[in-house]
């Protein structure tokens, strides 16, 4: 199969593409606008594969999308392109509205026209897979509830509201036009090649540079952490085995408070690259909380486990050790990403 991946130079998208090229026989057309969070260095290991091609394009540009669909004739679409940083969405929501809502609308319309023009056999196997977030559900009030596929939407930030809107568009295009869609909503991802503004890579790199390790509020916000390579496997499982029109929640079953995560990272760094005196924990600093900060996310991944046979391979302990080691061994990648961000700014 030929899979068109949007946002394939991003964190999750690049992990997905590496998985497809390394572990399946499928081919990939990678569409990415290459904003600050898109980095082709994350795909160096597979870029020479004859089953991979990259097209720099913006999903807000219908003409570009139409040309790519007609040129490559994909069997599947896996839509990951999105603005995804909550703080940035609070400071400047416009890009989130344009990319996450208008961009998804454009992609749905081009995909619908393309699908309608297919032959019967190819049309029956086509899938449009929309990759979303658990943040569309809002947050949970207690420590026992879990997000299920039937949890009502209650987004808190401009980011999560824009992703909720895109989910609704995908469902509407399935119901109204019969476009064969699948939606997955995932918990917080972590792992190699993660952009340094996110919590885990930010803490690792700030610790190594002797900088403050910032914690919003009391740090007791709870997140369910999913190792990105486990997520990549889940996405391929969903598009291969998932039922058209269905939604699947993908979680790591690894709930941790933010302050727990930071302390675990500090403990690993104390072990792997110890300071001459003291612990990296001395660099922790609590700062003013984020506006509208969600208290707890927790995914119930029973459906994808029981119906499609997927489950995560990594525990948080095994995954976070792999992640810290990767950042210690790949400082050049980190330096390049930060340099590209500064140049864009």
């Amino acid at each position: 199969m030929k899979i068109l991946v949007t946002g394939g130079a991003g964190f999750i998208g690049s992990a997905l593409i590496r998985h497809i090229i390394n572990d399946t026989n499928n081919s990939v057309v990678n569409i990415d606008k290459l904003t600050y969070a898109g980095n082709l260095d994350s795909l160096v290991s597979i870029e020479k594969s004859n089953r991979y091609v990259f097209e720099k394009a913006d999903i807000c540009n219908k003409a570009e999308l139409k040309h790519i669909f007609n040129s490559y004739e994909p069997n599947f679409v896996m839509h990951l392109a999105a603005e995804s940083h909550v703080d940035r969405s609070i400071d400047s929501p416009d890009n989130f509205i344009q990319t996450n809502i208008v961009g998804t609308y454009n992609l749905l319309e081009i995909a619908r026209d393309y699908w309608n023009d297919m032959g019967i056999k190819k049309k029956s196997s086509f899938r449009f897979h929309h990759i979303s977030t658990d943040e569309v559900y809002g947050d949970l009030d207690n420590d026992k509830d879990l997000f299920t596929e039937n949890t009502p939407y209650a987004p808190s930030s401009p980011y999560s509201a824009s992703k909720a809107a895109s989910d609704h568009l995908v469902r509407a295009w399935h119901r109204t036009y019969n476009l064969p869609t699948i939606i997955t909503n995932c918990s917080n991802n972590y792992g190699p090649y993660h952009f340094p503004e996110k919590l885990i890579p930010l803490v690792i790199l700030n610790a190594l540079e002797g900088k403050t390790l910032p914690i919003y509020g009391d740090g007791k916000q709870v997140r369910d952490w999913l190792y990105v390579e486990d997520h990549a496997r889940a996405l391929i499982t969903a598009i291969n085995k998932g039922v058209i029109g269905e939604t699947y929640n993908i979680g790591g079953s690894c709930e941790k408070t933010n302050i727990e995560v930071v302390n675990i990272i500090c403990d690993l760094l104390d072990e792997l690259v110890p300071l001459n005196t003291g612990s990296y924990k001395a660099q922790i600093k609590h700062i003013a909380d984020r506006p509208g900060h969600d208290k707890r996310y927790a995914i119930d991944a029973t459906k994808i486990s029981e119906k499609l046979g997927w489950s995560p391979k990594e525990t948080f302990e095994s995954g976070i050790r792999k992640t810290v080691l990767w950042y210690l061994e790949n400082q050049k990648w980190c330096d390049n990403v930060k340099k590209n961000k500064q140049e864009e700014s």
Side-chain angles (χ1 to χ4, degrees):
M1 294 292 183
K2 186 176 291 182
I3 304 173
L4 190 153
V5 176
T6 71
F11 171 47
I12 299 172
S14 63
L16 172 63
I17 290 174
R18 292 192 302 271
H19 173 59
I20 293 170
I21 298 301
N22 291 329
D23 302 313
T24 80
N25 293 322
N26 298 316
S27 59
V28 175
V29 179
N30 174 14
I31 297 178
D32 201 293
K33 185 181 176 182
L34 295 182
T35 62
Y36 74 96
N39 187 350
L40 293 178
D41 287 349
S42 304
L43 294 162
V44 167
S45 64
I46 58 86
E47 66 181 0
K48 290 185 169 61
S49 171
N50 60 9
R51 293 184 288 117
Y52 170 77
V53 64
F54 170 70
E55 289 281 352
K56 184 176 180 181
D58 184 351
I59 61 170
C60 291
N61 187 317
K62 276 189 171 183
E64 288 182 343
L65 289 178
K66 186 172 183 178
H67 172 74
I68 290 168
F69 270 79
N70 291 337
S71 297
Y72 294 103
E73 300 183 347
N75 306 97
F76 295 156
V77 174
M78 301 185 78
H79 175 36
L80 296 93
E83 294 286 346
S84 64
H85 193 251
V86 174
D87 288 348
R88 285 176 179 262
S89 80
I90 293 170
D91 294 338
S92 181
D94 183 70
N95 288 339
F96 291 75
I97 303 304
Q98 289 300 315
T99 299
N100 298 355
I101 300 176
V102 177
T104 298
Y105 160 73
N106 287 340
L107 193 63
L108 284 166
E109 280 292 86
I110 297 299
R112 180 166 71 96
D113 289 343
Y114 170 76
W115 176 68
N116 280 329
D117 290 339
M118 284 180 172
I120 293 175
K121 185 176 180 181
K122 192 172 181 181
K123 190 174 184 179
S124 66
S125 65
F126 181 80
R127 299 288 183 274
F128 185 107
H129 181 181
H130 177 61
I131 289 84
S132 190
T133 172
D134 59 356
E135 294 190 42
V136 298
Y137 300 123
D139 59 2
L140 297 163
D141 292 329
N142 61 58
D143 60 2
K144 294 183 179 179
D145 289 343
L146 298 171
F147 295 138
T148 73
E149 288 79 3
N150 296 317
T151 298
Y153 277 27
S156 303
S157 68
Y159 160 60
S160 55
S162 67
K163 288 298 290 185
S166 68
D167 290 9
H168 290 320
L169 288 173
V170 173
R171 289 194 178 95
W173 260 244
H174 170 63
R175 181 160 182 173
T176 302
Y177 304 112
N178 294 316
L179 187 69
T181 65
I182 294 168
I183 296 175
T184 53
N185 297 80
C186 70
S187 59
N188 279 34
N189 279 224
Y190 70 101
Y193 300 101
H194 205 177
F195 190 75
E197 71 184 356
K198 303 290 184 159
L199 176 65
I200 287 177
L202 177 69
V203 168
I204 296 169
L205 297 175
N206 275 15
L208 295 172
E209 294 171 14
K211 296 179 180 177
T212 295
L213 310 183
I215 303 292
Y216 281 126
D218 60 11
K220 294 182 179 178
Q221 305 87 359
V222 176
R223 300 293 181 261
D224 174 21
W225 292 95
L226 173 66
Y227 192 62
V228 70
E229 293 176 12
D230 280 331
H231 189 195
R233 289 190 303 104
L235 295 178
I236 289 298
T237 300
I239 203 167
N240 283 329
K241 298 181 179 179
V243 176
I244 290 172
E246 291 291 316
T247 295
Y248 299 91
N249 281 350
I250 305 170
S253 298
C254 293
E255 287 187 56
K256 302 286 180 186
T257 64
N258 287 344
I259 190 65
E260 278 184 284
V261 170
V262 175
N263 281 325
I264 289 169
I265 293 170
C266 288
D267 287 340
L268 281 168
L269 290 173
D270 287 341
E271 171 197 339
L272 297 167
V273 281
L275 296 167
N276 291 329
T277 57
S279 168
Y280 289 96
K281 292 178 184 178
Q283 296 167 222
I284 294 174
K285 182 179 179 181
H286 291 265
I287 61 175
D289 207 353
R290 166 192 289 163
H293 203 165
D294 290 331
K295 297 176 183 177
R296 175 173 173 260
Y297 305 146
I299 283 275
D300 181 350
T302 301
K303 182 176 178 179
I304 193 170
S305 175
E306 293 185 351
K307 301 292 185 182
L308 306 186
W310 173 88
S311 61
K313 292 181 177 179
E314 300 292 342
T315 63
F316 188 75
E317 290 68 27
S318 66
I320 196 66
R321 178 174 285 272
K322 287 182 177 181
T323 301
V324 170
L325 286 169
W326 187 88
Y327 278 94
L328 291 175
E329 295 166 0
N330 289 273
Q331 285 292 309
K332 184 177 179 181
W333 181 90
C334 300
D335 292 342
N336 287 342
V337 169
K338 288 188 284 186
K339 180 182 177 183
N340 291 340
K341 180 185 176 183
Q342 289 172 353
E343 289 176 351
E344 183 172 283
S345 300

